[in-house]
Amino acid sequence: MLRHIRRIALAAVLVPSTIAAQPVPAVRLSVSTGGTQANAPSQFEKVTPDGRTVLFVSTATNLVAGTGNGGAQLFVRDRDTDRDGVFDEPGAVGTVRVSSGPENQQNGDLFEGSDISPDGRFVLFTTATPIIAGDTNDTYDVYLRDRDADGDGIFDEAGAFTVTRVSTGTGNSQANGLSRGVQIAGNGRYVLFFSEATSLRGGAGFQFQYYRKDLLTGVTTLVSGRPDGTPADDVTWGAALSPDGHLAVIAGGFSDLAAASTFWVLRDLDANTFVPIIDGNPPASTLPARAPVTSAPLDIQNGRPLASIGFTPDARTVYLNVQENVFQPDEIRGSVLEYDIASARVVRRFPAVVPSSRTFLRPAFRDGRTLIYPSTIAFGCVDTARRIDRYDRLTGRIVPLLSGMVESVASDAAGRRLVYSHTGCTTPAPPTVHYLLDTAYGVPLPLPDPLVASPMDDAGTTLFFGAADGALLPNGAGDNGIADIYAVDLLSRLDRDSDGLDDRWEVAMGLDFTTASGNNGPTGDPDADGRTNLQELAAGTHPRGTSRQFLAEGADNAFFKTRLAIANPGLADATAVLRLDGDDGTASAVSVNVPAGARRTVFVDEIAGHAPSFATVVESSAPLISERTMSWDATEYGAHAERASPTPATSWFLAEGATGSFSLFYLLQNPGDAAVTATVRYLRPAPLAPIERAYTLPAHSRVTLPVNAQAPELAATDVSAAITATLPILVERAMYRSVGGQPFAAGHASAGVTATSTHWFLAEGATGDFFDLFILLANPTTTAADVEVRYLRTDGTVLTKTYAVAAESRRTIYVDGETFPGLGQALANASVSCAITSTNAVPIVVERSMWFPGPAVTPAFWAEAHNSPGTTTTATRWMLADGEAGGTRQAQTFVLIANTSATAGRVRVTALRDLPTTPTELPLPAPSVTLDLPANSRTTVPMHAIAALAETRFGVLVESIDTAPLAQIVVERAMYWNAGGAIWAAGTNLLATPLP
């Protein structure tokens, strides 16, 4: 049974942040091997992904013996020469000048164009100094230094390194013009460089051309050339090699090739193939392209492509940028094309601009999947990014991270920890402030002085930057007063008030991280729940958590995926702590900041250490609205959704349920500190008697009950349930149907209700050729109920019918087939809401299910379904946290509104945008529409049809307005998307949350 995937054990421990008692001292890297400080300024260049090897430029003459001309030299600082994994140990570090010849001849004029291989072995540099024999061309050449020529793993041994001039032709003929290094590829076998030399290109063409040098064979290949060997005839904006060095992408340079839609060429340099990449007709599932005003495929900085756009590590995909100049306001917008090499087609396009030279973004896809990029760059004040997003190559997911005037940003490999600088556009210009955003905590933290936004290692633990600040050194010892290069342990500096509380956690929770006193200190208890702040941190709970919500269902594993949407209808920002309590007894947590009047999306697969199956507790400092969507299979051909329950209870009721050809599960969540006994009373259709079973729920747990297996009599039946518990718990139900060999092709889930009632309302309901509509009535009492259903149609007409529901049983109404005197099957093709009343005062439970596609109840249909319990109250304001329009799945979202009043009403429907944590200086207005509602009617609002919401996720606020009295309404949401070529393959539905 696939459902048992949910119970696979996964070790996950909720571990509080580890705070160093004292910050780890900064390490100055621009010193000699013996520690002598530089006698001239140094400038940071690059660092290897592991943070071990740092490349820097300096004019110092005392870092390496024999350096004496005062010109710029390129140095490597090896932080772990004994390779024991401990960096910066005395006696296990080394500083080596790498821009020198094979006999350590020093260069005199270093030029831009350096690179270092990920393992630190190979260094690329450009100089005009003739540092090898036979260098007589009197211009800039490109060199590659192999720091371990004997391959024994020990770098920079005497006599075991080589320096090779690579900006040469096949046979090592000299270039007769300037050359510059671009990229190392193929584990040091290949080098990409560009050159203006006419002696290398062998024909006419534009002055600058790109070349690949094969160090193994000595062959130099014209990269910016055609298969016949002729060079590009126009400006070549850039080029990049695949990591293995076999493929190259070339930007521009071939104006005679094709129409203006061709800006790039993909070349297999070994097979000599030449494939134009067409920016046109990407699949309909991609984001819409803006009309380009100017195109700059691949970003160029002084002639070299920026590495943040290029090949993925597996060389299966290449990413290309189109920039679009927009002058109202002064901005550059753009798009990134995702080009699949195997299928030779653009498979996706999304809004993005490759970073400007002011950013410090490391090469893209360092972890094989993550790209951090700005979607807009502004010029109205300074060259800044308006918004920074994260693109996940494997999931296709785009997550907004930052917004506002971001001057520079750097991140770890996975884009989960970022440092950035933020400014403003006022006069006089405000000071630049540097921040850390750790997405596990969700709120930016001002960096402690003197840290600044600067490059990070892949793990995101160390910052590398240049500074002329003696405060970085212990007691300012040995400060030379000039620019030096430093490595600073970031995580050890995140408890500046030394109270044992992580500054990231404190700022996220709304505590003052600069003081350890009172409610802000480790012994404080601002929410008066009996737990100190230190205990709350250790438990993964909210120290100011005055509001709680619960979701009993949840799974994220090889088959299921779960996302949470959290909306903030209030006027102040709020932070939520999401705690996932697993079936396996483990727990994990993450903090999410939700701006006022906005919503956020949380993807469970991004939460470290979560269990495969879990329940969720959402704690927040202000009332929020939380919803969960679960999908399954990689194609997401099925899904269900539910809103969070506001409180645990000792009594729960479920009206819907069927076994036999369906797989039925009850999900029981115990959020308390003590074990609970839950008794489930399974109610079957009359005259079958109820069946009762008892279960033990451990503290802070989620228990899954496969109903089909609880008793032989429950193996094939319709079933409702009445559940009681010795302490308050949460209850949900999930139900699936497999179709045509497709497991769980259809599925729906809903929370139970905590009380029976004589009055119920359903906003959603549709019949016809596509939907089959069912109303489920459960009577857990010992007295039969007489029930009246009023069907509210879109034009305000009402059809009424009565039903009997036997004691301790459940009844199913197939609405499509209901007949009415003189009207026949008047609801066979209709959109309806329902008002349901028990006319003999016997309380009941009501749910509604819709199965699709129809048009009839046959085994060949019903590949999907959705369900929702009814509500016992109406309201004038309702909130939905989740909605989606467009995207790769072509999602469509409908808001369903029932006006239960006998008079006409009017509503305003407002979308809440999915915003990053940081505020934006240019907030976008919230899209809204105003609608009239006939009395006793049902109205459908297609949110995806609102142009401003295209390709976005959003929340929805529905408010009754203008009439006196205000119309009483009920609101639900239905959302559908395509999968596997099927229209509306997946669909979800849930009841909105009423607001005061």
Side-chain angles (χ1 to χ4, degrees):
M1 178 66 68
L2 270 176
R3 190 68 176 187
H4 291 296
I5 292 174
R6 306 164 64 93
R7 301 186 60 84
I8 297 173
L10 175 67
V13 180
L14 185 65
V15 180
S17 298
T18 300
I19 301 297
Q22 295 293 329
V24 175
V27 178
R28 184 163 53 176
L29 305 177
S30 50
V31 295
S32 70
T33 297
T36 303
Q37 61 184 345
N39 60 9
S42 302
Q43 175 181 310
F44 174 85
E45 284 287 297
K46 292 181 179 178
V47 60
T48 53
D50 59 3
R52 170 182 164 178
T53 309
V54 177
L55 195 64
F56 68 94
V57 174
S58 181
T59 55
T61 59
N62 63 339
L63 298 182
V64 173
T67 306
N69 62 17
Q73 308 284 322
L74 191 64
F75 297 88
V76 157
R77 178 69 171 185
D78 189 335
R79 303 175 63 202
D80 187 20
T81 57
D82 62 0
R83 298 171 292 168
D84 65 353
V86 180
F87 289 176
D88 305 312
E89 289 179 290
V93 294
T95 300
V96 177
R97 185 181 67 226
V98 291
S99 56
S100 55
E103 303 298 328
N104 284 321
Q105 304 95 325
Q106 61 180 313
N107 68 287
D109 189 6
L110 194 68
F111 189 52
E112 292 184 5
S114 63
D115 195 18
I116 188 168
S117 60
D119 61 1
R121 174 175 172 175
F122 297 96
V123 178
L124 190 69
F125 63 95
T126 304
T127 181
T129 305
I131 59 174
I132 64 170
D135 184 348
T136 59
N137 59 1
D138 194 27
T139 187
Y140 288 97
D141 280 303
V142 183
Y143 295 86
L144 184 74
R145 180 183 180 107
D146 182 349
R147 300 175 59 210
D148 185 22
D150 60 1
D152 66 354
I154 302 175
F155 291 172
D156 305 312
E157 292 177 287
F161 69 88
T162 59
V163 178
T164 305
R165 182 167 57 165
V166 296
S167 54
T168 57
T170 300
N172 291 326
S173 60
Q174 292 194 92
N176 62 359
L178 177 149
S179 302
R180 176 173 154 179
V182 176
Q183 179 187 355
I184 301 171
N187 295 321
R189 174 177 174 176
Y190 301 104
V191 169
L192 179 70
F193 68 95
F194 74 81
S195 180
E196 65 179 8
T198 58
S199 61
L200 298 180
R201 63 177 182 254
F206 192 76
Q207 182 179 11
F208 287 100
Q209 302 290 337
Y210 281 81
Y211 301 87
R212 184 193 72 174
K213 184 71 171 186
D214 186 335
L215 276 298
L216 181 64
T217 65
V219 173
T220 300
T221 303
L222 177 63
V223 171
S224 54
R226 299 170 175 81
D228 63 5
T230 58
D233 63 344
D234 202 347
V235 176
T236 302
W237 291 102
L241 291 180
S242 59
D244 62 9
H246 297 300
L247 302 177
V249 64
I250 309 147
F254 302 100
S255 60
D256 60 330
L257 259 184
S261 59
T262 302
F263 302 121
W264 309 273
V265 167
L266 181 71
R267 289 200 63 189
D268 185 321
L269 298 174
D270 298 324
N272 198 29
T273 58
F274 187 96
V275 181
I277 299 175
I278 307 299
D279 174 20
N281 301 317
S285 62
T286 64
L287 302 182
R290 305 181 181 100
V293 178
T294 63
S295 297
L298 293 177
D299 187 51
I300 305 305
Q301 296 181 59
N302 300 320
R304 66 170 293 184
L306 194 67
S308 60
I309 297 291
F311 289 90
T312 54
D314 59 11
R316 295 180 179 179
T317 310
V318 66
Y319 290 80
L320 306 164
N321 181 248
V322 177
Q323 292 184 358
E324 301 145 12
N325 292 334
V326 180
F327 299 102
Q328 298 294 331
D330 291 338
E331 294 180 340
I332 282 186
R333 298 179 182 270
S335 299
V336 163
L337 305 183
E338 184 177 64
Y339 179 80
D340 179 71
I341 294 172
S343 62
R345 60 194 290 265
V346 174
V347 295
R348 192 175 188 196
R349 179 173 187 159
F350 55 89
V353 181
V354 290
S356 71
S357 59
R358 297 178 65 90
T359 66
F360 299 121
L361 288 171
R362 293 285 303 281
F365 310 109
R366 292 150 61 188
D367 62 350
R369 61 186 292 177
T370 304
L371 171 65
I372 307 294
Y373 64 90
S375 57
T376 309
I377 294 176
F379 293 102
C381 178
V382 289
D383 181 8
T384 59
R386 292 290 194 194
R387 178 165 144 173
I388 302 291
D389 293 345
R390 179 177 68 231
Y391 172 69
D392 188 317
R393 169 200 176 200
L394 299 187
T395 64
R397 185 181 300 152
I398 294 176
V399 176
L401 296 174
L402 302 169
S403 67
M405 307 303 289
V406 179
E407 285 190 301
S408 59
V409 61
S411 79
D412 63 351
R416 301 298 192 268
R417 189 176 294 150
L418 299 92
V419 291
Y420 67 98
S421 59
H422 188 275
T423 186
C425 267
T426 59
T427 303
T432 297
V433 182
H434 302 276
Y435 292 92
L436 165 67
L437 176 63
D438 191 321
T439 57
Y441 295 87
V443 180
L445 171 72
L447 283 172
D449 290 334
L451 302 189
V452 296
S454 58
M456 309 171 77
D457 56 1
D458 273 9
T461 60
T462 307
L463 295 180
F464 299 89
F465 58 91
D469 192 340
L472 283 167
L473 299 171
N475 302 317
D479 178 29
N480 56 9
I482 59 178
D484 276 307
I485 311 303
Y486 293 90
V488 178
D489 183 282
L490 174 64
L491 302 187
S492 71
R493 294 171 178 256
L494 299 181
D495 184 17
R496 62 200 77 180
D497 59 358
S498 301
D499 63 355
L501 303 176
D502 192 312
D503 290 350
R504 294 169 294 180
W505 183 81
E506 289 185 277
V507 72
M509 298 300 108
L511 303 177
D512 185 348
F513 62 87
T514 65
T515 177
S517 63
N519 274 338
N520 294 293
T523 61
D525 183 16
D527 59 4
D529 65 352
R531 285 183 174 180
T532 67
N533 289 335
L534 197 59
Q535 290 170 332
E536 301 263 22
L537 172 61
T541 53
H542 202 309
R544 299 171 57 243
T546 55
S547 178
R548 301 176 80 200
Q549 304 170 76
F550 305 88
L551 290 156
E553 168 68 306
D556 201 285
N557 49 47
F559 188 64
F560 291 98
K561 292 298 174 188
T562 296
R563 80 168 190 241
L564 303 170
I566 306 177
N568 182 359
L571 300 178
D573 295 0
T575 296
V577 174
L578 280 63
R579 179 186 173 102
L580 310 182
D581 291 325
D583 271 6
D584 58 5
T586 63
S588 56
V590 67
S591 299
V592 181
N593 184 264
V594 190
R599 53 89 74 188
R600 298 292 303 279
T601 304
V602 179
F603 299 97
V604 171
D605 61 8
E606 296 187 359
I607 300 176
H610 70 81
S613 301
F614 51 85
T616 305
V617 180
V618 182
E619 285 189 288
S620 55
S621 53
L624 301 175
I625 309 300
S626 301
E627 296 171 5
R628 176 207 65 241
T629 297
M630 272 177 60
S631 60
W632 47 92
D633 186 73
T635 65
E636 296 188 281
Y637 63 67
H640 53 58
E642 183 54 293
R643 66 177 186 176
S645 298
T647 183
T650 56
S651 295
W652 289 89
F653 301 92
L654 296 164
E656 166 69 304
T659 58
S661 59
F662 299 91
S663 299
L664 179 63
F665 302 88
Y666 291 169
L667 303 316
L668 280 57
Q669 176 187 8
N670 175 14
D673 296 329
V676 174
T677 297
T679 300
V680 181
R681 200 157 179 252
Y682 299 98
L683 308 178
R684 298 180 290 166
L688 300 175
I691 295 172
E692 195 168 286
R693 294 288 186 274
Y695 306 91
T696 298
L697 313 182
H700 299 291
S701 71
R702 203 293 288 280
V703 172
T704 301
L705 300 178
V707 175
N708 306 54
Q710 298 309 301
E713 299 90 338
L714 296 174
T717 184
D718 289 345
V719 60
S720 298
I723 302 171
T724 58
T726 54
L727 291 170
I729 63 171
L730 287 303
V731 173
E732 290 193 47
R733 176 209 58 251
M735 185 169 145
Y736 305 90
R737 180 173 184 262
S738 299
V739 176
Q742 189 177 58
F744 291 3
H748 62 60
S750 289
V753 296
T754 59
T756 58
S757 177
T758 58
H759 297 279
W760 293 88
F761 302 95
L762 298 166
E764 167 68 308
T767 62
D769 290 341
F770 193 75
F771 292 108
D772 288 322
L773 173 62
F774 299 88
I775 297 174
L776 303 318
L777 309 175
N779 178 7
T781 75
T782 57
T783 304
D786 297 328
V787 177
E788 176 187 84
V789 180
R790 299 174 67 240
Y791 297 96
L792 313 181
R793 307 179 74 178
T794 56
D795 60 0
T797 60
V798 179
L799 298 177
T800 303
K801 193 164 185 177
T802 60
Y803 305 87
V805 186
E808 296 185 313
S809 72
R810 102 95 184 265
R811 177 164 181 171
T812 302
I813 302 171
Y814 176 46
V815 177
D816 302 55
E818 287 299 286
T819 59
F820 299 86
L823 298 175
Q825 294 183 341
L827 298 177
N829 189 6
S831 295
V832 297
S833 297
C834 295
I836 301 169
T837 303
S838 176
T839 56
N840 65 340
V842 175
I844 61 172
V845 178
V846 175
E847 295 186 39
R848 178 217 56 257
S849 292
M850 288 167 55
W851 294 81
F852 52 93
V857 184
T858 68
F861 294 92
W862 293 2
E864 183 56 312
H866 57 61
N867 168 274
S868 178
T871 178
T872 59
T873 61
T874 60
T876 58
R877 300 176 73 234
W878 293 80
M879 185 76 215
L880 292 159
D882 204 7
E884 186 176 356
T888 58
R889 306 177 305 177
Q890 290 296 286
Q892 297 185 352
T893 299
F894 299 87
V895 172
L896 305 321
I897 306 172
N899 177 12
T900 62
S901 302
T903 57
R906 188 172 176 83
V907 293
R908 179 172 56 240
V909 181
T910 305
L912 278 68
R913 294 184 180 273
D914 194 17
L915 292 181
T917 297
T918 53
T920 177
E921 285 79 4
L922 298 173
L924 297 172
S928 66
V929 295
T930 302
L931 302 167
D932 294 318
L933 308 179
N936 295 313
S937 69
R938 136 73 184 265
T939 299
T940 301
V941 185
M943 299 300 295
H944 53 277
I946 299 175
L949 298 180
E951 318 305 330
T952 67
R953 291 190 176 97
F954 49 85
V956 182
L957 173 64
V958 182
E959 302 171 284
S960 186
I961 60 173
D962 293 347
T963 60
L966 294 174
Q968 294 294 309
I969 59 175
V970 175
V971 176
E972 296 186 43
R973 185 216 69 214
M975 184 161 60
Y976 306 91
W977 60 77
N978 306 338
I983 303 298
W984 288 12
T988 69
N989 170 261
L990 53 78
L991 176 67
T993 300
L995 298 179

